[in-house]
Amino acid sequence: MTMNRPVLDIESVQAFVAIADFQSFTKAADALGTTQGAISVKLKRLEDRLGSRLIERTPRQVRLSAPGAVFINAAREFLAAHDRAVATLSAPCRRFRLGIAEYVAGAEFPMVLARLNERDPALTIEVRLESSTSLLDAYDGGELDAVIVRQEDDRRDGEDLGPEHFGWFAAPCFHQQPEKPLRLAALAPCCRVRDIATRALLDAGIPWTEVFVGGGHAAVVAAVSAGLAVAAFSCRLAPPDTLEVSQRLGLPALPSSRIMMHSTLTDPRSRDALRTLAAAFREHRTPRQAEAA
C-alpha cells in the first residue's frame, strides 16, 4: 500500500523560489514574466498541496516561514532536475561571460558557479577576475554579459546584491607600539579599499606607514596573518585567523559599500541564470558579514 503524496507542478515551485530569492512578489512576477496576482495564486496552490504556509508576508517584509526555509533547498533541487531533463534534448549550448571583481569573490564563489552549472548544464561559464573599474569598462564595451562589482560612486544602475562592510583586521599577536605610525598593509594604489582606509586615517589624524604595498591580495593577507601589519578588509573576506581591531587600536569606522550586479541580458534563460547568481550572493554571507550588517 502506498501513501498519497502531493504532486508538485513546476510553475508553482518556480513562483515560490522566485519570491524567496527576491523577497518581493512584484520582483518575482517581473522575473518570471507574469503578474503579482498570478504569482500569489501559484504560491497558494503550492502551499495548499503541501499543507504548509511557505512565505510570511507583512506590509514591510516578505520572508520564508519555518516550513519554507526547510523546503527551499528541495525546491531548488526540484527545479534543477527539471531543467536538466529539459536541457538534455532541447537546450543549445551557449556562453555566459561573467566578470567578478577580485575583492568581491569570496568563499561562496565556487558554490555560485556550481549552482549555475547545475541549473543550466548547457551553459558554458567564462569568468574574468579583475578590478571593478576594468570589468565595468569591459561590460560597457560588450565584452561581458554580466559583472558583479562594488558600487562605484558615479554609477547608480544595476541590481543591489547587498551591503559590503569593512573593518580593520590584524593577527592576535599584532602589537602596535605607542607613538609609532600604524603599520598598514595596503593593496595597489588604485584599489578603492586602500583609498577608503587611508582617507579614514587621514581624517582621524592617525599617522601610518605602508608595508607590502601593491603586492596583491595574497601578500596583504600574508603580512596581516604574520602579525606584521593591519589591513582594511571586507568583513566577508578577512583572513579567518585575524581579528577585527578597530576598538582595540582606536581606529576609525570605515564606510560601507554595496555589491552590485550589472547585466543587459533579457532572454528567460539568461534572466534565470542572473537570478541564481543574485540569490547565491545574498544567501552565502559569512558570519562576520552577517554580524556587521
Side-chain angles (χ1 to χ4, degrees), residues 18 30 44 46 55 99 116 118-119 133 148 228 236 241 253 277 279:
D30 290 342
K44 186 176 187 308
L46 179 63
I55 296 290
L116 271 178
E118 179 184 68
R119 189 63 187 259
T133 301
I148 298 176
L228 301 179
R236 289 187 311 117
D241 56 352
L277 272 174

Side-chain angles (χ1 to χ4, degrees), residues 51-253:
S52 297
R53 177 176 290 277
L54 302 175
I55 296 290
E56 294 179 352
R57 186 178 185 180
T58 69
R60 291 189 175 184
Q61 191 175 34
V62 173
R63 64 184 182 183
L64 291 171
S65 66
V70 172
F71 181 61
I72 186 65
N73 287 335
R76 294 194 194 283
E77 292 171 4
F78 176 78
L79 295 180
H82 171 273
D83 291 345
R84 284 195 299 270
V86 173
T88 56
L89 296 177
S90 62
C93 293
R94 61 193 182 92
R95 293 189 305 159
F96 188 91
R97 301 170 300 173
L98 171 66
I100 182 166
E102 292 173 295
Y103 305 114
V104 168
E108 74 274 16
F109 187 50
M111 180 280 307
V112 172
L113 297 182
R115 183 179 289 185
L116 271 178
N117 184 62
E118 179 184 68
R119 189 63 187 259
D120 192 345
L123 184 67
T124 299
I125 306 168
E126 299 178 3
V127 180
R128 184 187 298 187
L129 291 171
E130 293 179 12
S131 69
S132 293
T133 301
S134 298
L135 292 177
L136 284 170
D137 288 343
Y139 168 70
D140 290 336
E143 299 174 28
L144 295 170
D145 298 312
V147 293
I148 298 176
V149 296
R150 289 203 181 109
Q151 185 179 54
E152 297 292 325
D153 292 336
D154 59 347
R155 190 152 188 161
R156 300 301 175 190
D157 59 326
E159 180 178 350
D160 191 338
L161 301 186
E164 183 82 316
H165 300 289
F166 300 95
W168 300 97
F169 290 86
C173 63
F174 176 79
H175 174 68
Q176 175 62 34
Q177 296 180 355
E179 309 302 327
K180 294 288 186 179
L182 179 72
R183 300 196 304 278
L184 180 66
L187 298 169
C190 60
C191 174
R192 188 167 182 270
V193 177
R194 176 188 179 277
D195 292 342
I196 291 172
T198 55
R199 187 180 302 118
L201 292 174
L202 181 64
D203 292 344
I206 297 175
W208 76 92
T209 180
E210 290 183 307
V211 297
F212 297 91
V213 181
H217 185 72
V220 172
V221 169
V224 174
S225 296
L228 301 179
V230 173
F233 284 111
S234 158
C235 295
R236 289 187 311 117
L237 306 178
D241 56 352
T242 62
L243 302 173
E244 215 289 333
V245 294
S246 298
Q247 291 187 349
R248 178 161 70 88
L249 299 182
L251 299 176

